[in-house]
Amino acid sequence: MDIVVLVKQVPDTESLVQIADDGVSIKTQDIKWIMNPYDELAVEEALQIKEAQGGTVTILTLGPEKAVETIRTALAMGADQGIHICDPAAEGSDALAAAKLLAAALKDLPYDLIIAGHRAVDEDNYQVAAAVAEFMGIPQISMVNKVVVSDGKITCHRTIEGGTVVVENSLPALFTTQRGLNEPRYASLPGIMKAKKKPVDVKTVADLGVDGGSVGAANRKVKIKAFNLPPERQAVRMIQGEAAADKAAELLKILHEEIKII
Amino acid sequence: MAQGVFAITEQRDGELRKVSFEAVSEGRRVADGLGADLTAVVLGSGIEGLAEELKKYGPDKILVADDAALADYTTDAYTNVLAELIQSSDPAVIITGASAQGKDLSGRLAARLDAGLAMDCVEIKLDNGNLTYTRPMFGGKIVAKVEIEGSPQIVAIRPNVMDIVENSKEPAIEKPAVQVGDLKTKIIEMKMETGDKPELTEADIIVSGGRGTGGDYAAVEELANELGAAVGASRSAVDEGWRPHSDQVGQTGKTVSPNLYVACGISGAIQHLAGMSTSKYIVAINKDEEAPIFSKADFGIAGDLFEVLPAIIAEVKKLK
């Protein structure tokens, strides 16, 4: 079973995000960068399938030079090799262009299964994996919290509002991860040492045969016009009272009579 | 020249989901602003009756795609049918819900149509025929304004945010012949939770518990029951195994926009605040008066949730 995992380096979810001077991007200094949390689940699932069934796990990422750190993290967890699409011309690509680049890299790779996070927690587009599946002409199964792969088939539990749908597809296929799928392992020290020797292939836009005029910040279909911080709320109104019962009565009065919400 | 607005609705078990009415209502507003027609699309099997229900929200036309293979959502059948309907009508704007179905569908559809997609939008602004979409990014820490080049423009709207507006019309109802195409996905089973508890992303009220519950959710659940609310949880509560992953609110869980969010024993980690800050009203109950949650709340009670929640439950019962 040859598995490709799509990963992305993103700001740590515990980071405070600040708007850069250009007003359409974030300040990148002082940010701790991590592997997208949903991609960690994808790497873990790929490793578990490989451990049970044999095969290879390839990590594919698109990002600036430092994104190689994320590939190294996945290699330290146990993946075999990395491919890093790294080209200033690709920076700032929107989801559709990112998917085109990833799909172009996948065309040269043998794979039975592609696994990705259901969204990256930076742009929150929920889109790249679906677009990659479309460009590769394979089925996608989104937000999966349980998966069984056997006999050339994949059975996925897809989470939807209020439940799950169990669906079956034949391979090759792509699925995206949801929390609950597994508990990602930490890289071990020997793993980290080994990862340094594992191959990471760097590809440019030209290497992939993709038209430079269709990717990068200048060619976004979805143009970012402005970044704003969420509106501030008015200062909290602390509810006073002697006992819990007094505070509760006061709160209910506000919710029921003042703002009429219950 | 592309023109007109499509609103793609969503049904489950033959019942329209609430986000469908939001999509059609918003579609009406956008179509009026553009001076264009609104087409509502409904897909399913034996669902002719749903068109009646959609009339209320003012579409000029309703397309009913009725086929046994469309009974339950699958990416392949729905994308194949919709891509064909869209290509033959050439709409300028396509609105769908950013539900589990809508997220899966719109990403695939955008790639097939080579169209720009604004995901999980909380507002659509019209300015001289130009559309600007407001969408949270970084789990809600940033609110971005985006525009889409080319057509169609696909916009997936966050459930529970846009207004539902009744605007009855007598639309043309068409039942186009549909080609579901080569289907690869087989649905084995739908496992739905029973009971009428609302889903987190669709709930009007959420009562959420964090580390301060110590794993005891009895009072949180009782209050939720009394209010007809959904139960949510912080990441640490989920990591402790106190609540299922599907209850998690935050940047690595669900982003929610209820009318009322009651945070109980939640300190307010930055990634949790990101996931609930678009709630209309936020009530925080926490022992620690300095907890960051109070900086995002409208109303706060400093106190032990095991004393405060039973008192609130008693007050709610008095209202009945």
Side-chain angles (χ1 to χ4, degrees):
Chain A
M1 178 81 48
D2 293 317
I3 306 172
V4 181
V5 184
L6 311 182
V7 303
K8 187 177 187 187
Q9 192 178 43
V10 298
D12 188 347
T13 53
E14 296 300 334
S15 295
L16 189 66
V17 173
Q18 291 178 302
I19 299 167
D21 293 338
D22 67 4
V24 293
S25 62
I26 61 160
K27 287 186 184 167
T28 50
Q29 62 273 33
D30 304 332
I31 279 189
K32 184 182 161 204
W33 296 86
I34 58 165
M35 186 190 300
N36 179 43
Y38 294 105
D39 302 349
E40 287 184 355
L41 303 174
V43 173
E44 176 62 36
E45 199 63 23
L47 294 174
Q48 289 187 15
I49 295 169
K50 178 193 155 178
E51 283 155 9
Q53 308 190 12
T56 62
V57 175
T58 301
I59 305 300
L60 174 58
T61 199
L62 163 66
E65 264 176 50
K66 72 178 161 44
V68 73
E69 298 160 6
T70 296
I71 296 183
R72 292 286 170 207
T73 303
L75 296 179
M77 288 168 75
D80 299 294
Q81 56 177 335
I83 297 170
H84 184 184
I85 307 170
C86 182
D87 190 331
E91 278 181 34
S93 290
D94 65 11
L96 207 53
K100 276 178 195 160
L101 289 162
L102 294 167
L106 283 159
K107 288 206 169 79
D108 301 326
L109 284 174
Y111 67 86
D112 304 291
L113 181 61
I114 302 172
I115 314 179
H118 79 250
R119 72 179 197 267
V121 299
D122 52 359
E123 290 201 33
D124 292 327
N125 279 319
Y126 298 81
Q127 193 186 349
V128 171
V132 166
E134 170 68 16
F135 294 145
M136 303 313 290
I138 60 175
Q140 89 213 26
I141 310 101
S142 300
M143 300 198 214
V144 170
N145 69 1
K146 187 178 174 195
V147 62
V148 179
V149 181
S150 70
D151 299 332
K153 278 190 199 147
I154 181 165
T155 306
C156 293
H157 293 235
R158 196 168 97 66
T159 56
I160 61 170
E161 297 86 358
T164 54
V165 187
V166 185
V167 296
E168 185 185 276
N169 280 278
S170 51
L171 297 174
L174 175 151
F175 77 85
T176 70
T177 61
Q178 175 62 295
R179 291 249 292 159
L181 179 66
N182 56 44
E183 282 301 323
R185 69 193 67 186
Y186 291 102
S188 64
L189 193 58
I192 293 167
M193 299 310 289
K194 272 191 213 159
K196 291 181 179 165
K197 292 185 188 132
K198 290 179 180 173
V200 176
D201 202 1
V202 179
K203 302 268 192 195
T204 64
V205 173
D207 290 342
L208 298 172
V210 173
D211 172 16
S214 67
V215 299
N219 298 300
R220 292 178 68 99
K221 274 186 197 294
V222 180
K223 305 258 184 213
I224 296 175
K225 291 297 176 184
F227 270 6
N228 296 300
L229 294 174
E232 286 288 329
R233 275 173 200 273
Q234 293 202 327
V236 63
R237 204 163 120 193
M238 292 304 285
I239 292 164
Q240 307 300 329
E242 280 297 308
D246 303 326
K247 293 178 186 173
E250 178 64 16
L251 176 68
L252 262 287
K253 204 173 143 202
I254 293 169
L255 298 181
H256 185 61
E257 292 172 19
E258 195 176 314
I259 60 174
K260 298 183 171 59
I261 211 154
I262 57 175
Chain B
M1 168 85 185
Q3 59 179 350
V5 176
F6 259 41
I8 301 171
T9 65
E10 181 175 337
Q11 56 84 22
R12 205 185 282 170
D13 292 331
E15 277 190 32
L16 286 163
R17 295 173 56 77
K18 187 177 161 215
V19 73
S20 305
F21 308 129
E22 295 164 2
V24 178
S25 299
E26 193 61 14
R28 182 68 268 163
R29 194 179 68 82
V30 170
D32 287 343
L34 296 173
D37 275 358
L38 171 66
T39 302
V41 189
V42 56
L43 303 91
S45 176
I47 40 123
E48 207 171 329
L50 298 184
E52 270 315 302
E53 225 179 311
L54 290 171
K55 279 181 182 177
K56 270 195 279 187
Y57 308 97
D60 300 291
K61 183 157 96 176
I62 301 175
L63 291 177
V64 181
D66 203 319
D67 190 289
L70 298 172
D72 296 314
Y73 172 77
T74 58
T75 314
D76 35 15
Y78 274 54
T79 307
N80 292 345
V81 167
L82 282 165
E84 201 176 301
L85 293 176
I86 289 163
Q87 276 155 351
S88 62
S89 298
D90 196 20
V93 182
I94 298 163
I95 301 176
T96 187
S99 54
Q101 170 178 320
K103 283 170 179 159
D104 182 80
L105 172 70
S106 57
R108 187 89 188 201
L109 206 50
R112 176 133 345 149
L113 301 169
D114 197 27
L117 162 62
M119 182 63 86
D120 210 18
C121 289
V122 294
E123 192 181 18
I124 304 176
K125 274 212 171 109
L126 277 148
D127 183 21
N128 284 331
N130 277 332
L131 294 167
T132 310
Y133 306 103
T134 304
R135 56 178 306 262
M137 285 173 41
F138 299 91
K141 293 172 188 168
I142 295 284
V143 182
K145 295 221 180 300
V146 303
E147 288 177 8
I148 299 177
E149 243 171 45
S151 79
Q153 306 187 359
I154 305 181
V155 47
I157 58 171
R158 176 174 293 183
N160 236 4
V161 174
M162 311 264 181
D163 292 332
I164 296 174
V165 183
E166 293 200 15
N167 191 345
S168 216
K169 274 205 175 185
E170 208 42 60
I173 297 176
E174 291 178 17
K175 285 175 66 174
V178 295
Q179 296 291 329
V180 296
D182 178 24
L183 303 182
K184 293 173 178 160
T185 307
K186 193 165 120 194
I187 297 175
I188 307 288
E189 194 186 355
M190 308 267 288
K191 291 185 179 180
M192 304 311 293
E193 283 157 23
T194 48
D196 45 24
K197 262 197 285 176
E199 213 279 327
L200 215 44
T201 55
E202 299 168 337
D204 288 329
I205 304 178
I206 295 173
V207 183
S208 212
R211 191 170 286 283
T213 63
D216 178 358
Y217 273 73
V220 169
E221 282 186 343
E222 191 183 349
L223 179 59
N225 271 340
E226 289 296 330
L227 295 173
V231 174
S234 68
R235 179 175 182 155
S236 56
V238 172
D239 285 346
E240 291 287 351
W242 298 338
R243 300 297 300 183
H245 293 285
S246 53
D247 282 0
Q248 189 188 321
V249 173
Q251 197 179 359
T252 52
K254 288 177 178 160
T255 308
V256 296
S257 304
N259 283 328
L260 177 63
Y261 189 87
V262 185
C264 310
I266 292 177
S267 63
I270 191 163
Q271 72 96 20
H272 184 81
L273 298 177
M276 44 66 94
S277 61
T278 53
S279 305
K280 196 163 174 200
Y281 291 101
I282 297 171
V283 172
I285 300 159
N286 205 296
K287 266 202 280 203
D288 174 10
E289 268 178 75
E290 304 296 315
I293 189 77
F294 287 121
S295 72
K296 293 286 171 189
D298 300 289
F299 308 103
I301 294 181
D304 183 345
L305 68 93
F306 293 105
E307 290 171 18
V308 175
L309 285 183
I312 294 176
I313 292 162
E315 290 294 327
V316 173
K317 283 182 174 160
K318 281 190 205 164
L319 290 178
K320 294 186 176 173

